[in-house]
Amino acid sequence: MAKGTCHRHDSVTAGWWCAMCHALWCNPCAGVGGKATAKATCPQCGGRVNSLAPSPEAPARPMRAPAESSKPVVAESAEPRPFFVQIGGAFLYPLKGNGPWLILGYVLFMIASYLLSYAQGTGATILSLLIPSYLCAYVFKIVLTTADGEAEPPDWPDFAHFWEEIVQPAGLFIGSLLFCALPAIAYAISKVSFSDEGDPHFNGSMHMVRSLLVVGCVFLPMAVLSAAMHDSLRGLNPLLILGAIIKIPLQYAVAVMALLLVLALSVAAGSLLQIPLVSIVAYCAIVLYAMMVEARIIGLIYAANATRLNWFDEASDRRRDSQKVH
Protein backbone atom coordinates (compact mmCIF):
# COMPACT_ATOMS: atom_id res chain seq x y z
CA MET A 1 0.00 0.00 0.00
CA ALA A 2 1.44 3.34 -1.00
CA LYS A 3 1.71 6.09 1.51
CA GLY A 4 -1.10 8.62 1.39
CA THR A 5 -2.53 11.24 3.65
CA CYS A 6 -4.39 10.87 6.92
CA HIS A 7 -8.13 10.19 6.61
CA ARG A 8 -8.83 12.97 9.11
CA HIS A 9 -6.00 15.42 8.31
CA ASP A 10 -5.55 15.83 4.55
CA SER A 11 -2.33 17.78 4.95
CA VAL A 12 -0.54 15.15 7.09
CA THR A 13 1.21 12.07 5.70
CA ALA A 14 -0.32 8.81 6.93
CA GLY A 15 1.86 6.37 8.86
CA TRP A 16 -0.75 3.69 9.66
CA TRP A 17 -3.51 1.74 7.91
CA CYS A 18 -6.44 -0.21 9.30
CA ALA A 19 -6.78 -3.84 8.22
CA MET A 20 -10.55 -3.70 8.77
CA CYS A 21 -11.79 -0.51 7.10
CA HIS A 22 -8.55 0.20 5.12
CA ALA A 23 -8.45 3.85 6.31
CA LEU A 24 -5.11 5.67 6.56
CA TRP A 25 -4.14 7.52 9.74
CA CYS A 26 -1.33 9.74 11.02
CA ASN A 27 0.42 9.01 14.34
CA PRO A 28 -1.81 11.19 16.55
CA CYS A 29 -5.03 9.79 15.05
CA ALA A 30 -3.81 6.21 15.49
CA GLY A 31 -3.11 7.07 19.13
CA VAL A 32 0.56 6.17 19.01
CA GLY A 33 2.29 9.56 19.07
CA GLY A 34 5.25 8.28 17.08
CA LYS A 35 5.63 5.11 19.19
CA ALA A 36 4.05 1.85 18.08
CA THR A 37 2.07 0.13 20.82
CA ALA A 38 -0.34 -2.74 21.16
CA LYS A 39 -3.08 -0.16 21.71
CA ALA A 40 -2.68 1.37 18.25
CA THR A 41 -6.28 1.30 17.08
CA CYS A 42 -8.32 2.70 14.22
CA PRO A 43 -10.40 5.67 15.48
CA GLN A 44 -13.02 4.94 12.83
CA CYS A 45 -13.85 1.26 13.39
CA GLY A 46 -11.74 0.26 16.40
CA GLY A 47 -9.69 -2.24 14.41
CA ARG A 48 -5.96 -2.88 14.80
CA VAL A 49 -3.74 -0.59 12.71
CA ASN A 50 -0.51 -1.52 10.94
CA SER A 51 2.49 0.65 10.28
CA LEU A 52 3.10 1.80 6.70
CA ALA A 53 6.84 1.96 7.46
CA PRO A 54 8.89 -1.18 6.75
CA SER A 55 10.25 -3.07 9.72
CA PRO A 56 13.82 -1.97 10.58
CA GLU A 57 15.00 -5.61 10.56
CA ALA A 58 13.58 -6.41 7.12
CA PRO A 59 14.44 -5.03 3.69
CA ALA A 60 11.98 -2.63 2.13
CA ARG A 61 9.29 -4.38 0.12
CA PRO A 62 5.81 -3.54 -1.18
CA MET A 63 3.15 -3.92 1.51
CA ARG A 64 0.34 -6.37 0.82
CA ALA A 65 -3.19 -5.06 0.49
CA PRO A 66 -5.14 -5.11 3.76
CA ALA A 67 -7.50 -7.82 2.46
CA GLU A 68 -4.53 -10.17 2.02
CA SER A 69 -2.99 -9.44 5.39
CA SER A 70 -3.30 -12.29 7.84
CA LYS A 71 -2.16 -11.13 11.26
CA PRO A 72 -1.56 -7.41 11.92
CA VAL A 73 2.08 -6.68 12.63
CA VAL A 74 2.99 -3.26 14.03
CA ALA A 75 6.54 -2.12 13.40
CA GLU A 76 8.44 -0.87 16.40
CA SER A 77 9.74 2.68 16.16
CA ALA A 78 12.13 4.74 18.21
CA GLU A 79 11.13 6.32 21.50
CA PRO A 80 9.99 9.93 21.09
CA ARG A 81 12.74 12.38 21.93
CA PRO A 82 12.30 14.30 25.21
CA PHE A 83 10.69 17.73 24.89
CA PHE A 84 13.58 19.66 26.45
CA VAL A 85 16.06 18.01 24.07
CA GLN A 86 14.10 19.35 21.10
CA ILE A 87 13.10 22.78 22.38
CA GLY A 88 16.29 24.54 21.23
CA GLY A 89 15.77 23.36 17.67
CA ALA A 90 12.35 25.01 17.59
CA PHE A 91 14.03 28.40 17.16
CA LEU A 92 15.87 27.10 14.07
CA TYR A 93 12.80 25.32 12.72
CA PRO A 94 11.60 28.21 10.50
CA LEU A 95 15.01 28.22 8.80
CA LYS A 96 14.95 24.52 7.88
CA GLY A 97 13.95 23.07 4.53
CA ASN A 98 11.81 25.47 2.54
CA GLY A 99 11.12 27.62 5.63
CA PRO A 100 13.13 30.66 4.43
CA TRP A 101 11.35 30.56 1.07
CA LEU A 102 7.99 30.39 2.81
CA ILE A 103 8.87 33.47 4.86
CA LEU A 104 10.14 35.30 1.78
CA GLY A 105 6.99 34.42 -0.16
CA TYR A 106 4.82 35.66 2.70
CA VAL A 107 6.74 38.93 2.89
CA LEU A 108 6.37 39.52 -0.86
CA PHE A 109 2.68 38.71 -0.68
CA MET A 110 2.21 41.16 2.19
CA ILE A 111 4.00 43.88 0.24
CA ALA A 112 1.60 43.32 -2.64
CA SER A 113 -1.31 43.40 -0.18
CA TYR A 114 0.02 46.63 1.31
CA LEU A 115 0.11 48.27 -2.11
CA LEU A 116 -3.35 46.91 -2.93
CA SER A 117 -4.74 48.36 0.30
CA TYR A 118 -4.49 51.83 -1.23
CA ALA A 119 -7.09 50.74 -3.77
CA GLN A 120 -10.65 50.66 -2.52
CA GLY A 121 -12.64 47.63 -3.58
CA THR A 122 -13.76 44.10 -2.91
CA GLY A 123 -10.28 42.66 -3.49
CA ALA A 124 -8.74 44.57 -0.58
CA THR A 125 -11.59 43.52 1.73
CA ILE A 126 -11.26 39.85 0.78
CA LEU A 127 -7.50 39.94 1.38
CA SER A 128 -7.95 41.53 4.79
CA LEU A 129 -10.10 38.55 5.79
CA LEU A 130 -8.18 35.84 3.95
CA ILE A 131 -4.65 36.59 5.17
CA PRO A 132 -5.31 36.15 8.94
CA SER A 133 -7.39 33.02 8.26
CA TYR A 134 -4.65 31.59 6.07
CA LEU A 135 -2.04 32.19 8.78
CA CYS A 136 -4.27 30.51 11.36
CA ALA A 137 -4.60 27.48 9.08
CA TYR A 138 -0.84 27.35 8.60
CA VAL A 139 -0.25 27.44 12.37
CA PHE A 140 -2.54 24.42 12.71
CA LYS A 141 -0.69 22.64 9.91
CA ILE A 142 2.66 23.14 11.69
CA VAL A 143 1.19 21.82 14.95
CA LEU A 144 -0.15 18.69 13.20
CA THR A 145 2.96 17.91 11.17
CA THR A 146 5.19 18.46 14.21
CA ALA A 147 3.02 16.15 16.31
CA ASP A 148 3.36 13.60 13.50
CA GLY A 149 7.16 13.74 13.70
CA GLU A 150 8.00 15.97 10.72
CA ALA A 151 11.27 17.88 11.17
CA GLU A 152 10.79 20.66 8.58
CA PRO A 153 8.08 23.28 7.97
CA PRO A 154 5.21 22.09 5.77
CA ASP A 155 4.11 23.83 2.60
CA TRP A 156 1.39 26.45 2.71
CA PRO A 157 -2.20 25.12 2.95
CA ASP A 158 -3.50 24.07 -0.45
CA PHE A 159 -6.27 26.16 -1.98
CA ALA A 160 -7.33 23.05 -3.90
CA HIS A 161 -8.60 21.73 -0.54
CA PHE A 162 -9.96 25.07 0.60
CA TRP A 163 -12.44 23.75 3.16
CA GLU A 164 -10.26 21.03 4.72
CA GLU A 165 -6.92 22.87 4.78
CA ILE A 166 -7.98 26.50 5.27
CA VAL A 167 -11.55 27.04 6.45
CA GLN A 168 -11.77 24.26 9.05
CA PRO A 169 -8.32 24.80 10.65
CA ALA A 170 -8.81 28.58 10.68
CA GLY A 171 -12.20 28.12 12.31
CA LEU A 172 -10.72 25.89 15.00
CA PHE A 173 -7.89 28.35 15.66
CA ILE A 174 -10.28 31.30 15.91
CA GLY A 175 -12.52 29.17 18.12
CA SER A 176 -9.55 28.50 20.40
CA LEU A 177 -8.82 32.23 20.62
CA LEU A 178 -12.43 33.04 21.47
CA PHE A 179 -12.55 30.23 24.02
CA CYS A 180 -9.53 31.62 25.88
CA ALA A 181 -10.70 35.23 25.60
CA LEU A 182 -14.30 34.47 26.60
CA PRO A 183 -13.92 35.39 30.32
CA ALA A 184 -12.37 38.75 29.39
CA ILE A 185 -15.04 39.39 26.76
CA ALA A 186 -17.85 38.50 29.15
CA TYR A 187 -16.44 40.71 31.91
CA ALA A 188 -15.90 43.61 29.51
CA ILE A 189 -19.51 43.38 28.31
CA SER A 190 -20.92 43.19 31.82
CA LYS A 191 -18.73 45.86 33.44
CA VAL A 192 -16.76 48.09 31.10
CA SER A 193 -19.45 48.65 28.47
CA PHE A 194 -21.81 50.13 31.09
CA SER A 195 -19.33 52.64 32.49
CA ASP A 196 -17.35 55.55 31.12
CA GLU A 197 -13.82 56.84 31.66
CA GLY A 198 -15.03 59.19 34.37
CA ASP A 199 -16.34 56.31 36.45
CA PRO A 200 -13.96 55.68 39.42
CA HIS A 201 -14.29 51.93 38.81
CA PHE A 202 -13.46 52.17 35.10
CA ASN A 203 -9.68 51.76 35.49
CA GLY A 204 -10.13 48.83 37.84
CA SER A 205 -12.44 47.14 35.36
CA MET A 206 -9.92 47.60 32.55
CA HIS A 207 -7.18 46.07 34.71
CA MET A 208 -9.42 43.08 35.31
CA VAL A 209 -10.04 42.69 31.57
CA ARG A 210 -6.28 42.74 30.91
CA SER A 211 -5.69 40.21 33.70
CA LEU A 212 -8.31 37.86 32.25
CA LEU A 213 -6.68 38.17 28.83
CA VAL A 214 -3.33 37.16 30.34
CA VAL A 215 -5.01 34.14 31.96
CA GLY A 216 -6.50 33.30 28.58
CA CYS A 217 -3.02 33.41 27.02
CA VAL A 218 -1.87 30.86 29.59
CA PHE A 219 -4.48 28.38 28.37
CA LEU A 220 -4.16 29.22 24.65
CA PRO A 221 -1.29 26.88 23.63
CA MET A 222 -3.00 23.80 25.08
CA ALA A 223 -6.36 24.89 23.67
CA VAL A 224 -4.83 25.14 20.18
CA LEU A 225 -3.10 21.77 20.58
CA SER A 226 -6.24 20.03 21.80
CA ALA A 227 -8.44 21.51 19.06
CA ALA A 228 -5.87 20.56 16.40
CA MET A 229 -5.40 16.99 17.63
CA HIS A 230 -9.10 16.32 18.09
CA ASP A 231 -9.87 18.15 14.84
CA SER A 232 -12.97 19.48 16.55
CA LEU A 233 -14.22 22.13 18.95
CA ARG A 234 -14.77 19.17 21.28
CA GLY A 235 -11.09 19.55 22.07
CA LEU A 236 -11.89 22.84 23.84
CA ASN A 237 -13.22 21.00 26.87
CA PRO A 238 -11.91 22.97 29.91
CA LEU A 239 -11.42 19.78 31.95
CA LEU A 240 -9.48 18.16 29.11
CA ILE A 241 -7.24 21.21 28.68
CA LEU A 242 -6.63 21.73 32.41
CA GLY A 243 -5.94 18.03 32.93
CA ALA A 244 -3.36 18.04 30.14
CA ILE A 245 -1.60 21.08 31.60
CA ILE A 246 -1.41 19.43 35.02
CA LYS A 247 0.25 16.35 33.49
CA ILE A 248 3.14 18.32 31.94
CA PRO A 249 3.46 21.60 33.92
CA LEU A 250 7.14 22.36 33.24
CA GLN A 251 6.97 21.68 29.52
CA TYR A 252 3.78 23.65 29.21
CA ALA A 253 5.33 26.60 31.05
CA VAL A 254 7.93 26.75 28.28
CA ALA A 255 5.16 26.90 25.67
CA VAL A 256 3.46 29.75 27.54
CA MET A 257 6.73 31.70 27.81
CA ALA A 258 7.27 31.17 24.09
CA LEU A 259 3.79 32.57 23.41
CA LEU A 260 4.57 35.65 25.52
CA LEU A 261 7.79 36.03 23.53
CA VAL A 262 5.79 35.87 20.30
CA LEU A 263 3.48 38.61 21.56
CA ALA A 264 6.43 40.73 22.68
CA LEU A 265 8.13 40.34 19.29
CA SER A 266 4.92 41.30 17.53
CA VAL A 267 4.55 44.45 19.62
CA ALA A 268 8.21 45.35 19.12
CA ALA A 269 7.95 44.73 15.39
CA GLY A 270 4.87 46.94 15.29
CA SER A 271 7.03 49.89 16.32
CA LEU A 272 8.89 49.46 13.02
CA LEU A 273 5.78 50.41 11.07
CA GLN A 274 6.86 54.05 11.18
CA ILE A 275 9.01 53.33 8.12
CA PRO A 276 6.85 52.47 5.09
CA LEU A 277 7.60 49.33 3.06
CA VAL A 278 10.87 48.53 4.89
CA SER A 279 8.88 48.11 8.09
CA ILE A 280 6.41 45.82 6.31
CA VAL A 281 9.24 43.45 5.39
CA ALA A 282 10.70 43.36 8.91
CA TYR A 283 7.33 43.13 10.64
CA CYS A 284 5.98 40.29 8.48
CA ALA A 285 9.21 38.28 8.68
CA ILE A 286 9.44 38.63 12.47
CA VAL A 287 5.78 37.81 13.11
CA LEU A 288 5.74 34.75 10.84
CA TYR A 289 9.02 33.47 12.30
CA ALA A 290 7.66 33.85 15.85
CA MET A 291 4.37 32.13 14.96
CA MET A 292 6.23 29.20 13.38
CA VAL A 293 8.39 28.79 16.50
CA GLU A 294 5.37 28.83 18.81
CA ALA A 295 3.44 26.37 16.62
CA ARG A 296 6.49 24.09 16.57
CA ILE A 297 6.73 24.14 20.38
CA ILE A 298 3.01 23.35 20.70
CA GLY A 299 3.39 20.40 18.35
CA LEU A 300 6.46 19.15 20.23
CA ILE A 301 4.40 19.02 23.42
CA TYR A 302 2.24 16.33 21.87
CA ALA A 303 5.05 14.57 20.00
CA ALA A 304 6.99 14.09 23.24
CA ASN A 305 4.03 13.41 25.54
CA ALA A 306 1.39 11.56 23.52
CA THR A 307 1.42 8.59 25.89
CA ARG A 308 1.23 10.77 28.98
CA LEU A 309 -1.61 12.89 27.59
CA ASN A 310 -3.44 9.71 26.52
CA TRP A 311 -6.03 11.56 24.43
CA PHE A 312 -6.81 8.84 21.90
CA ASP A 313 -6.23 5.50 23.61
CA GLU A 314 -9.50 5.24 25.47
CA ALA A 315 -12.30 3.16 23.95
CA SER A 316 -14.83 5.90 24.64
CA ASP A 317 -12.80 8.34 22.56
CA ARG A 318 -12.69 5.86 19.70
CA ARG A 319 -16.45 5.40 19.82
CA ARG A 320 -17.02 9.16 19.72
CA ASP A 321 -14.61 9.50 16.79
CA SER A 322 -16.44 6.69 14.98
CA GLN A 323 -19.77 8.45 15.50
CA LYS A 324 -18.28 11.69 14.22
CA VAL A 325 -17.03 10.04 11.00
CA HIS A 326 -20.31 8.27 10.33
Side-chain angles (χ1 to χ4, degrees):
M1 179 183 293
K3 265 197 173 183
T5 58
C6 176
H7 181 69
R8 182 180 291 162
H9 304 117
D10 290 340
S11 60
V12 180
T13 301
W16 305 85
W17 60 268
C18 176
M20 292 181 62
C21 68
H22 302 179
L24 300 177
W25 303 102
C26 61
N27 287 345
C29 287
V32 295
K35 178 184 178 183
T37 68
K39 295 183 179 180
T41 310
C42 176
Q44 178 167 270
C45 69
R48 184 77 173 270
V49 296
N50 301 327
S51 174
L52 286 172
S55 173
E57 296 87 8
R61 62 184 185 277
M63 181 176 288
R64 292 179 296 171
E68 301 174 1
S69 178
S70 55
K71 184 178 180 181
V73 178
V74 179
E76 292 293 330
S77 59
E79 290 279 349
R81 296 174 62 198
F83 175 79
F84 289 108
V85 173
Q86 303 182 71
I87 189 66
F91 294 91
L92 298 177
Y93 173 77
L95 306 179
K96 293 182 178 180
N98 60 353
W101 295 109
L102 291 170
I103 295 176
L104 177 61
Y106 174 70
V107 169
L108 294 176
F109 180 78
M110 290 303 296
I111 291 175
S113 302
Y114 173 77
L115 298 176
L116 184 62
S117 66
Y118 286 99
Q120 301 295 327
T122 306
T125 303
I126 293 176
L127 277 178
S128 65
L129 296 174
L130 180 60
I131 292 173
S133 300
Y134 198 68
L135 279 180
C136 292
Y138 188 57
V139 167
F140 254 52
K141 191 171 185 179
I142 292 176
V143 172
L144 287 171
T145 54
T146 298
D148 199 42
E150 298 292 335
E152 296 181 355
D155 292 330
W156 290 107
D158 191 353
F159 277 96
H161 303 92
F162 187 75
W163 180 261
E164 295 84 359
E165 291 207 17
I166 299 176
V167 177
Q168 286 185 339
L172 289 174
F173 187 88
I174 294 171
S176 302
L177 289 174
L178 292 176
F179 169 79
C180 294
L182 187 59
I185 295 174
Y187 186 86
I189 293 175
S190 64
K191 297 291 184 178
V192 179
S193 60
F194 295 103
S195 60
D196 53 44
E197 295 185 10
D199 191 322
H201 300 290
F202 180 81
N203 290 334
S205 297
M206 289 303 299
H207 286 315
M208 178 60 70
V209 170
R210 296 188 189 99
S211 299
L212 290 174
L213 286 174
V214 171
V215 172
C217 287
V218 171
F219 286 92
L220 181 59
M222 189 60 75
V224 169
L225 177 61
S226 183
M229 292 297 100
H230 290 87
D231 195 30
S232 168
L233 292 176
R234 181 170 62 88
L236 298 179
N237 182 332
L239 296 179
L240 180 68
I241 293 172
L242 185 59
I245 293 174
I246 293 174
K247 290 178 181 178
I248 48 173
L250 294 180
Q251 298 178 37
Y252 188 70
V254 173
V256 173
M257 288 188 289
L259 176 61
L260 296 178
L261 178 61
V262 168
L263 296 176
L265 284 174
S266 301
V267 172
S271 64
L272 299 174
L273 293 177
Q274 307 299 325
I275 311 173
L277 199 57
V278 174
S279 63
I280 295 288
V281 174
Y283 177 79
C284 293
I286 292 173
V287 169
L288 181 58
Y289 168 84
M291 291 179 66
M292 292 174 72
V293 170
E294 174 64 17
R296 176 68 173 175
I297 292 174
I298 293 175
L300 288 176
I301 288 177
Y302 187 85
N305 299 281
T307 302
R308 190 181 303 181
L309 291 175
N310 194 30
W311 279 346
F312 301 107
D313 284 346
E314 297 296 331
S316 59
D317 285 339
R318 294 199 299 270
R319 287 196 295 269
R320 284 195 295 266
D321 286 338
S322 177
Q323 292 170 0
K324 175 185 173 184
V325 172
H326 294 293

